[in-house]
Structure formats: C-alpha cells, structure tokens
Amino acid sequence: MTATVHTVIDTPVGPLTLTAEDGHLTGIYFAIHRLRHRVPDFGLAVAGLPVFAETARQLGEYFDRQRQDFDLPLAPRGEPFQQSVWALLREIPYGATRSYGDLARDLGQPGAAQAVGVANGANPISIVIPCHRVIGADGSLTGYAGGLDRKRFLLALEQPPAEEAGRLF
C-alpha cells in the first residue's frame, strides 16, 4: 500500500489540506471536515510535491476567476456508486448547478436522490470535484462539508461579474 502524504495551503476559503498518493491527488479537505466528517489519515506532511504545487496553482487560478476546469491527476477513493456520482459532479459546468434528483436521473436511478446526496457528501476532493454545485430540488443550498458559507462563496465566485451578466448588482 502506498503512503498518503499531505500539505496545507492557504486559500480565500481558508486553509485546505491536500492529500496525495503516488503523485495523484486523493483529497482536498477544509479544516471543518475533521470536525464533522470521518476523514482518512492525512499521512506525513510533505512540501514540494509536483501534484501539490500544481493543485495550488490551479486552485489559485480558480479563485482568481482565471480557471473554470481543473486538469489534475485525481485518485479519489470510494465505492463504485460514489465514483459514478463523483464522475457526474465533474460534468456540471462551471457556474451551473444540479439537484440531487437531477444527478440520480442522470445515473438512471431516479429514486436514488438521497443516495446521491450521501455520495456527494463523501466527496474527498472538494472544489476540484465540484460537489458545491449540487443544490436542493427547490433551489435551496443544502449541506456542504465546508459549511454553507463556503458553498455560497464558491457558487458566487462562479457567477459572472454583474456588468457581464447584465445585472445592476
């Protein structure tokens, strides 16, 4: 078994812990993950790995509104159903949202909205696998491992500036 390693980077949504194995990103965790969720052992702290540098660079571009898609070597660990949900999350376009029911229908399992929600909540690679783009069927913001304030921030970040969108504010 390969050893997991980690580093911590500062971002506009607070410190993020990045985890990797064999040069592949396995996790992006908010500090609050440890308080609310079961997370794997982060392993040894390591600085300077290429996957960490590239992830930090791409996240920086994302937060500066210069990047809409990520191109990183990902290796999230999860059950086959979780993997299928996480693959669908990566298909949600920047600035768009989908409901849990939408994702369940896309999987061909229209009654599985709750299971999709559980898989969404278990996503180990926050932001890059954009679980923040999943909302309730009524358009409401629902749970987010990083907290609803961060979810709101990320969704707002992905909206065009008011002048580009034709809004007054």
Side-chain angles (χ1 to χ4, degrees):
M1 181 168 188
T2 303
T4 300
V5 295
H6 78 276
T7 195
V8 179
I9 62 171
D10 290 320
T11 73
V13 291
L16 295 175
T17 300
L18 311 179
T19 61
E21 292 178 5
D22 287 332
H24 290 82
L25 189 66
T26 58
I28 298 178
Y29 298 97
F30 297 99
I32 199 168
H33 271 102
R34 284 227 187 249
L35 300 175
R36 294 186 179 173
H37 302 279
R38 288 182 26 202
V39 296
D41 179 24
F42 290 156
L44 297 172
V46 175
L49 285 182
V51 69
F52 291 155
E54 184 60 17
T55 301
R57 184 184 72 76
Q58 289 189 28
L59 283 169
E61 291 172 353
Y62 169 80
F63 287 118
D64 287 341
R65 293 189 166 149
Q66 301 301 311
R67 173 176 290 276
Q68 296 183 359
D69 297 300
F70 294 93
D71 182 22
L72 296 164
L74 305 181
R77 286 192 174 167
E79 301 297 323
F81 182 78
Q82 292 173 320
Q83 295 284 348
S84 64
V85 170
W86 301 338
L88 278 180
L89 295 177
R90 295 194 70 209
E91 294 177 13
I92 302 172
Y94 179 91
T97 57
R98 299 286 184 276
S99 72
Y100 299 100
D102 292 335
L103 295 173
R105 282 187 292 281
D106 290 347
L107 287 170
Q109 300 180 42
Q114 187 173 12
V116 166
V118 171
N120 190 64
N123 171 26
I125 306 180
S126 301
I127 304 170
V128 171
I129 297 178
C131 54
H132 61 277
R133 296 179 187 156
V134 182
I135 59 173
D138 63 358
S140 64
L141 294 187
T142 56
Y144 184 60
L148 289 182
D149 288 342
R150 285 185 183 90
K151 183 172 187 164
R152 194 173 292 109
F153 175 89
L154 294 169
L155 292 172
L157 176 76
E158 294 183 7
Q159 295 305 306
E163 58 277 2
E164 287 179 27
R167 297 188 317 262
L168 296 176
F169 52 91

